[in-house]
Amino acid sequence: MRFQVNRDVFSEAVSFVVKLLPQRNPQPILAGVLIEADGSGLTLSAFDYEASARTTIEATVDTPGTILVHGRLLSDIASRLPNAPIEIAVEEDGGITVTCGSARFTLAAMPVEEYPSIPEVSGSSGVVPADDFGTAISQVGFAASRDDVTPVLTGVQLEVSGQSLSLVATDRYRVSLRDVPWDGAEVESTALVPARTLVEVGKTFGHAGTIQVAFSGAGDREIIAFTAGNKTVTSLLIKGNFPPVRRLFPEQTDHYAVVNTADLIEAVRRVSLVLDRAAPLRFTFSSDSVTMDASGSEHARASESVDAILHGGDEVTLGLNPQYLIEALGAVKSEFVRVTFTSSDNANKLSPVLITSQTSVDQAGLDSFKYLLQPNLLLR
């Protein structure tokens, strides 16, 4: 094999395919990037049995062939090569040489025959706007659990219904939900996608125009594929039943407060500095302000008030996880935020608060983002 390729194009392609690979892989062969060269250019692929990434780029191919080389090392090398064309060749002794200007590297070839087959996707599909989908992922993905003890909660549930694609995530303490337009087969289908993979899809494809989403496979090998331009990412779906969290969202939203989002974020960050780890922050919502109070170890105390407008009810005092609230406020992506106080049929259980966007003091936001946060018990 021998080919020449643009340095920037090649570096970007290698970086893309290795992003989804775990930092430490129990099978060394899965740390490789598969490079296939033929008359149409190069195809670069990476796969770890759960997620795969593939892209095609233009190149001048003198001798077609296929090689497997350590992905992260190749990515590090390609990103630091001088601004000149790259030539990659397989030498007679089996080593792989990477030449760019006066720089020359020799890398060990990994056994291509031991590399698993990259998943092929064929199934029902649809198209979503890339910017909406990328934003939705950033608004939902962080609410998924990071604890592998309950695998179904480490994923984001994608639900197709009619002309809408919903993204839902929860870690038991909060629920995040967002809808985006769906242009495709109007059949109800669901896919539980690992949040880590989906977040990378959002970062990579968020400005691609449109993204094609395809569902494929069956049984234990159900996969989902995301394609934009010359790039494709596939992911094995998480098996299991996602909890029915939609029913937790209230229909009545008459009792709520409207607050400036940026002001509230900064105040929460300041006041929570004195809190012990994992301790809740006390919020008191009154007619014209929200006051935050915190007390921690070493007799440290802090309080701050931010302007707010309370609608439809009496003053409310509750405890909230400050980090969970800050993450929700960052996802709102509007100048103001609406904090709605829900009611519960269970008098012994605290009712969650609902976070939604608010375009202005008087006007609710237009997007469908919703975030439920379970309050904490206040001990004093």
Side-chain angles (χ1 to χ4, degrees):
M1 171 198 271
R2 183 180 299 274
F3 62 84
Q4 296 83 40
V5 64
N6 177 279
R7 195 271 320 247
D8 293 339
V9 172
F10 185 73
S11 177
E12 194 275 336
V14 178
S15 174
F16 161 69
V17 296
V18 302
K19 273 181 184 177
L20 292 174
L21 293 178
Q23 292 288 343
R24 293 180 178 84
N25 207 308
Q27 299 184 45
I29 194 74
L30 299 181
V33 166
L34 190 70
I35 302 176
E36 302 166 90
D38 57 28
S40 60
L42 301 181
T43 300
L44 293 86
S45 310
F47 182 42
D48 68 354
Y49 288 115
E50 293 186 359
S52 78
R54 172 180 285 178
T55 184
T56 57
I57 58 174
E58 294 181 354
T60 302
V61 178
D62 299 323
T63 306
T66 301
I67 59 173
L68 184 66
V69 63
H70 194 282
R72 295 197 185 278
L73 177 58
L74 182 62
S75 179
D76 290 342
I77 291 171
S79 66
R80 290 170 173 79
L81 288 173
N83 189 15
I86 296 175
E87 180 175 279
I88 294 182
V90 177
E91 302 300 323
E92 291 183 1
D93 61 0
I96 298 169
T97 60
V98 180
T99 308
C100 183
S102 60
R104 178 184 172 90
F105 293 82
T106 300
L107 306 178
M110 302 171 76
V112 173
E113 63 276 5
E114 295 181 14
Y115 199 70
S117 299
I118 309 296
E120 297 291 340
V121 179
S122 59
S124 61
S125 64
V127 175
V128 293
D131 53 351
D132 285 350
F133 193 57
T135 300
I137 292 171
S138 70
Q139 291 177 309
V140 172
F142 67 86
S145 175
R146 294 169 179 80
D147 187 352
D148 291 333
V149 173
T150 311
V152 293
L153 298 185
T154 64
V156 176
Q157 176 91 331
L158 272 55
E159 303 171 352
V160 176
S161 180
Q163 295 182 320
S164 176
L165 172 66
S166 298
L167 293 84
V168 192
T170 183
D171 62 1
R172 289 196 183 95
Y173 306 103
R174 51 185 173 168
V175 183
S176 193
L177 168 67
R178 171 72 196 274
D179 298 331
V180 296
W182 169 264
D183 182 9
E186 293 188 21
V187 293
E188 292 195 4
S189 57
T190 61
L192 187 52
V193 186
R196 173 181 173 271
T197 303
L198 198 61
V199 167
E200 285 298 337
V201 168
K203 293 176 181 177
T204 304
F205 293 163
H207 303 287
T210 58
I211 301 172
Q212 184 174 9
V213 183
F215 305 90
S216 184
D220 292 334
R221 300 302 300 176
E222 283 186 291
I223 63 173
I224 189 169
F226 305 93
T227 302
N230 64 340
K231 296 182 174 71
T232 296
V233 170
T234 72
S235 176
L236 188 67
L237 301 185
I238 299 172
K239 305 303 292 182
N241 296 320
F242 194 74
V245 293
R246 280 182 174 274
R247 65 187 184 188
L248 300 176
F249 288 92
E251 295 183 4
Q252 299 298 322
T253 56
D254 297 332
H255 189 194
Y256 62 89
V258 176
V259 193
N260 180 280
T261 308
D263 291 349
L264 186 55
I265 289 174
E266 291 304 313
V268 171
R269 282 177 174 159
R270 281 189 291 268
V271 176
S272 60
L273 288 173
V274 304
L275 278 178
D276 296 330
R277 186 179 179 183
L281 181 59
R282 177 187 292 265
F283 290 81
T284 301
F285 292 86
S286 58
S287 60
D288 58 359
S289 68
V290 51
T291 301
M292 288 140 279
D293 295 286
S295 58
S297 57
E298 306 300 328
H299 304 290
R301 301 182 67 87
S303 67
E304 185 170 347
S305 295
V306 174
D307 290 343
I309 300 175
L310 185 63
H311 296 264
D314 299 328
E315 180 179 291
V316 176
T317 298
L318 44 76
L320 297 174
N321 181 307
Q323 185 56 40
Y324 285 2
L325 180 62
I326 287 172
E327 289 176 342
L329 296 175
V332 165
K333 304 188 187 303
S334 61
E335 184 177 358
F336 293 89
V337 61
R338 177 183 292 201
V339 181
T340 300
F341 311 105
T342 67
S343 59
S344 171
D345 295 333
N346 187 346
N348 298 317
K349 185 177 180 181
L350 295 171
S351 299
V353 295
L354 174 65
I355 310 292
T356 53
S357 64
Q358 187 86 2
T359 305
S360 66
V361 172
D362 303 315
Q363 184 177 1
L366 298 177
D367 71 20
S368 60
F369 173 66
K370 297 178 181 179
Y371 179 94
L372 273 180
L373 177 57
Q374 182 64 36
N376 302 73
L377 286 172
L378 290 170
L379 300 180
R380 59 185 181 279

